[in-house]
Amino acid sequence: MGHLIANKVSNLPSWDSSQLRLFTMLAEELTLPLSFVSQVNELMRVDSNARDNDNLLKEAQKQFEKYLGMSEYLECLNRAMSKQIELLPMNPLSIVDQAVQAHVHSLKESGHVLKLQGNTSALVLGHALALKGVVDLLLRTFEETATRASRLTIDVSQRLDYVNLIISDTKSILNRSMVKQMIDRSHRQSQTLAESRCSALPIVLAQELTRVMNGNLDFQRRRGQAQWIISLPISRQLALWD
Amino acid sequence: MDHQFADIQAACTMGLAKILLVESEESWASLVCAALSECQIDVASDADEAMGKLGKPGDYAAMIINLQLPKNNGIEILNERVSHVDLLAIPAIVYSSERGYSKVSDEAWQAYHVSAYIDQNELVKRLSQAVSEVLNASNHD
């Protein structure tokens, strides 16, 4: 009997190291937001005034939505790593626009301005949820590291066989060495950089989602702006639309 | 309303309890403000802003500092405070989610003139009591 169970266990699919790393990062990163929601609940139990505190309820909702989105992208990545998603030709501008719409409200509340501009009709070979996730996660890194109200732009343009999506922020404190440190630290225990409180998880997740679309993610500071550069290969397939 | 909230209310209605909170995240700042709803709380989002607000140290009855801040961390505020006698008169309560801080001894916190360290996961449970203790101690001085 024991032998049979051992056989069944060994037949279970095992996670590779990058899946395990992301799972561990998510578990670690969820601790504080879950603690926040639990403490909001505790406060509402002991102090009836807190129940009418709209600000607190809004913050709890924001935390919940942020991590719900993150788990959706993680699930998408997991399917991609298991070769369960298919890359299709798609218009990057329309996907980026969907990601931007999800941020419009929170950006406006924080006084940020976001402009989307594109001068290409080239299609990329990608996955809609993965691409939306990359843009969403990277916009989040800027929202979390902007020192004050900033001007964000997303520029979509073609460069040789790639479409480049450049997300720029005028007020983010992120720099190349901070990004490198965060990614390096994500291999160890502490994934949050004390200077920014931005965690490595959105960056590593965006990096992996870009990779499954055969693209590349880079970071640079240029003319005082922090920039994420997502390069995705142009689709050579004929699309049924456009 | 429980006993701790009543204590804070008593201390705050004396018109003395203006507290400086140094917290970069809106969500946690909202939670602290709600937990100490009877106090007047001024929020600084980083060390520089906090030091600016502390220009008139007599304004604050206590300060609450998250040790993980953007740019300079909370320890730098504590260091700065140690070198200014005026600022040392303001009791400091610190908190963090970084597990390493929970291993710091009471003696080490005392060297930084910190009245209480709170694990961020226990903020609601412990903050109001810690604040009422420092306010009461200040009132008795």
Side-chain angles (χ1 to χ4, degrees):
Chain A
M1 183 71 179
H3 174 69
L4 280 176
I5 292 171
N7 266 347
K8 281 188 178 167
V9 170
S10 65
N11 286 338
L12 289 173
S14 60
W15 285 359
D16 67 23
S17 60
S18 55
Q19 282 170 305
L20 200 59
R21 173 176 157 226
L22 283 165
F23 180 79
T24 310
M25 286 174 77
L26 181 68
E28 191 174 311
E29 175 142 339
L30 272 175
T31 310
L32 206 52
L34 285 176
S35 163
F36 175 78
V37 174
S38 153
Q39 292 191 68
V40 168
N41 187 48
E42 169 70 9
L43 186 63
M44 288 180 174
R45 194 180 60 77
V46 297
D47 179 9
S48 56
N49 292 331
R51 285 171 216 151
D52 300 324
N53 189 325
D54 287 344
N55 209 19
L56 203 55
L57 290 170
K58 202 170 74 186
E59 289 298 336
Q61 179 73 15
K62 250 163 69 176
Q63 296 280 334
F64 176 75
E65 281 170 8
K66 175 178 166 181
Y67 288 95
L68 189 66
M70 196 101 81
S71 62
E72 196 183 2
Y73 303 139
L74 201 64
E75 206 256 326
C76 170
L77 178 65
N78 191 37
R79 279 190 288 125
M81 284 173 158
S82 317
K83 313 264 185 247
Q84 288 173 29
I85 65 166
E86 196 182 347
L87 300 181
L88 296 167
M90 62 186 60
N91 179 347
L93 264 172
S94 68
I95 307 290
V96 172
D97 189 46
Q98 285 175 34
V100 166
Q101 291 312 317
H103 284 264
V104 164
H105 188 65
S106 64
L107 287 169
K108 198 176 166 189
E109 265 192 345
S110 319
H112 302 301
V113 178
L114 192 150
K115 191 175 163 196
L116 169 61
Q117 52 200 28
N119 60 7
T120 179
S121 56
L123 304 181
V124 296
L125 198 57
H127 183 269
L129 182 58
L131 181 53
K132 180 173 170 271
V134 172
V135 176
D136 178 21
L137 292 162
L138 297 177
L139 278 175
R140 209 176 279 178
T141 67
F142 282 153
E143 275 191 77
E144 286 171 0
T145 57
T147 47
R148 50 186 186 272
S150 65
R151 218 177 51 245
L152 292 113
T153 50
I154 304 182
D155 190 79
V156 184
S157 62
Q158 184 177 350
R159 193 178 168 88
L160 302 173
D161 290 338
Y162 285 83
V163 166
N164 280 350
L165 286 82
I166 303 179
I167 309 176
S168 311
D169 185 352
T170 52
K171 295 286 187 289
S172 169
I173 58 165
L174 274 186
N175 59 43
R176 215 178 156 82
S177 111
M178 285 165 79
V179 170
K180 187 178 177 308
Q181 268 189 63
M182 276 196 276
I183 294 173
D184 288 349
R185 284 184 195 189
S186 72
H187 290 276
R188 302 194 294 272
Q189 248 191 347
S190 174
Q191 37 168 314
T192 307
L193 201 61
E195 298 92 308
S196 73
R197 298 202 79 183
C198 169
S199 86
L201 182 61
I203 299 173
V204 174
L205 195 46
Q207 195 180 36
E208 296 293 333
L209 286 168
T210 309
R211 199 169 287 159
V212 296
M213 293 186 286
N214 302 313
N216 184 54
L217 176 65
D218 201 1
F219 178 89
Q220 68 176 16
R221 278 202 79 92
R222 191 160 178 257
R223 293 181 191 150
Q225 296 189 59
Q227 293 185 324
W228 287 111
I229 303 155
I230 309 151
S231 302
L232 293 170
I234 286 174
S235 169
R236 297 289 174 210
Q237 296 176 26
L238 286 175
L240 296 175
W241 58 92
D242 284 334
Chain B
M1 186 175 287
D2 68 9
H3 178 63
Q4 289 165 18
F5 283 100
D7 275 356
I8 292 181
Q9 189 174 29
C12 293
T13 47
M14 285 182 217
L16 298 170
K18 186 172 171 186
I19 292 172
L20 177 64
L21 168 67
V22 194
E23 171 57 77
S24 62
E25 286 201 8
E26 242 176 88
S27 52
W28 288 93
S30 305
L31 184 65
V32 170
C33 290
L36 304 175
S37 59
E38 304 299 336
C39 299
Q40 190 186 338
I41 298 185
D42 236 1
V43 183
S45 60
D46 59 34
D48 292 345
E49 196 183 343
M51 293 316 294
K53 285 181 185 278
L54 287 168
K56 291 180 190 167
D59 280 0
Y60 296 105
M63 62 174 102
I64 302 169
I65 306 166
N66 182 344
L67 294 175
Q68 289 164 280
L69 292 170
K71 294 191 279 184
N72 305 316
N73 68 33
I75 295 291
E76 286 172 66
I77 301 179
L78 296 179
N79 275 331
E80 190 78 15
R81 182 170 157 266
V82 169
S83 59
H84 290 84
V85 182
D86 287 357
L87 299 184
L88 276 182
I90 309 172
I93 296 167
V94 298
Y95 65 88
S96 173
S97 62
E98 186 69 51
R99 286 177 207 134
Y101 286 120
S102 59
K103 295 174 191 152
V104 174
S105 66
D106 289 347
E107 291 74 25
W109 287 125
Q110 278 161 17
Y112 277 106
H113 300 267
V114 167
S115 304
Y117 166 77
I118 301 174
D119 180 328
Q120 196 163 345
N121 295 309
E122 296 186 329
L123 214 46
V124 163
K125 201 190 288 177
R126 295 194 44 215
L127 186 61
S128 48
Q129 190 184 351
V131 170
S132 65
E133 278 171 12
V134 297
L135 293 183
N136 285 332
S138 301
N139 289 340
H140 289 134
D141 286 344

